[in-house]
Amino acid sequence: MRRRTGHELRAGEASPYYVFHPLALERIAADLPNVKLVLLLRDPVERTISHHKHEVRRGNETLSLTEALAEEDARLAGEDEAIVAGAPNHHSIPHQFWSYQARSRYDEQVARLQKLFPRDRYLVVQSERLFERPQEVLPGLVDFLGVPAWTPDDFPQKNATPVGGVDPAVRAELVDRFRPHNERLYELLGERFDWQE
C-alpha cells in the first residue's frame, strides 16, 4: 500500500468498552505491544446520563435513571470476578450495559492503562475539546498516531452537547460523586479538564 498511497497505512478500531473491561487492556498489551491507544474522555456526568438513555433506547434498560443508579452496585457485584474467572468466553450483560457510573470513574481505568503501557503509547483527550475545537486538537492526535497531516472537510459532533431532561438534583449528585475521581484523574494525567465541577 505504501507504493500506492505514498505512506504507510495504519489500521484502527474504536470501542468505549475496552478500557473498562477487566481483561481487555492486559490482552491488548500482550498481543499488540506496539499499539497506540487514544482514550477520549467525555464529561463523566454527561457520559453516565447518555449511557443510561442509550440502553433505554436499545431496550436493555427498564429502570429510570434514578433507579438504575441506585441499583448499579448490586447489579455489578461480582461481575468483574466472573468475567476474569470465565475468560475468555464469559459475557456479562450487567457489566457491559448497566455500568453507568463505574465506566465514568476514569481514574481507575487510566491508572490501569498507565501500569500496562508506556507514556508514548497512549494519548488521553477530552472529548468535548476534540468536538468543539477539532482544528486545535486534531493536529496533536494525528502527530501522536504518526499519520500524515489531515484536515477533514466536515467534523460532525458526536456526544458533545449536554443531555437534557434530567432532574437537576440527580445531575448535582453525580457531579459530587465524580469530583474525587476527576481530581485523581487530573493528578494521573497532569492536566485538568473543564468538566462540571
Side-chain angles (χ1 to χ4, degrees):
M1 291 304 278
R2 179 187 284 274
R3 217 175 324 146
R4 188 165 19 151
T5 64
H7 57 270
E8 185 179 340
L9 295 182
R10 301 279 196 270
E13 81 163 303
S15 171
Y17 190 51
Y18 287 157
V19 74
F20 180 66
H21 190 280
L23 296 172
L25 288 177
E26 287 80 357
R27 290 173 177 165
I28 292 168
D31 294 341
L32 301 167
N34 296 318
V35 72
K36 289 199 169 186
L37 302 168
V38 176
L39 186 59
L40 290 175
L41 299 182
R42 182 181 183 188
D43 181 314
V45 173
E46 297 301 330
R47 199 220 68 80
T48 297
I49 296 167
S50 178
H51 183 177
H52 177 264
K53 287 187 181 257
H54 178 72
E55 297 306 341
V56 168
R57 276 193 308 271
R58 293 176 64 201
N60 295 326
E61 180 61 88
T62 59
L63 299 180
S64 71
L65 175 61
T66 303
E67 293 167 333
L69 296 177
E71 292 295 319
E72 183 172 337
D73 288 345
R75 286 170 140 185
L76 296 183
E79 291 300 317
D80 273 358
E81 296 79 9
I83 290 169
V84 171
N89 298 320
H90 182 78
H91 179 250
S92 168
I93 297 235
H95 194 268
Q96 187 166 4
F97 297 152
W98 301 332
S99 49
Y100 308 115
Q101 298 165 97
R103 285 170 72 170
S104 295
R105 291 192 296 264
Y106 302 133
D107 59 320
E108 298 165 3
Q109 298 161 59
V110 167
R112 276 189 29 240
L113 177 78
Q114 290 179 334
K115 287 180 185 172
L116 292 164
F117 295 92
R119 184 63 193 94
D120 64 340
R121 290 283 168 209
Y122 66 87
L123 178 68
V124 180
V125 176
Q126 181 186 352
S127 293
E128 295 86 357
R129 288 180 187 164
L130 176 62
F131 292 118
E132 292 167 7
R133 300 185 304 275
Q135 63 279 19
E136 294 173 19
V137 178
L138 194 58
L141 186 54
V142 166
D143 184 55
F144 167 73
L145 293 173
V147 296
W150 162 73
T151 303
D153 295 330
D154 184 28
F155 203 94
Q157 292 193 6
K158 308 280 187 196
N159 298 328
T161 56
V163 181
V166 176
D167 179 345
V170 172
R171 189 178 291 276
E173 184 179 333
L174 286 170
V175 169
D176 287 343
R177 198 171 294 163
F178 289 125
R179 186 172 286 115
H181 295 283
N182 292 348
E183 289 301 324
R184 180 166 183 249
L185 173 70
Y186 304 150
E187 288 174 18
L188 290 169
L189 297 177
E191 174 184 10
R192 296 189 72 81
F193 294 160
D194 51 354
W195 289 329
Q196 304 171 59
E197 301 291 317

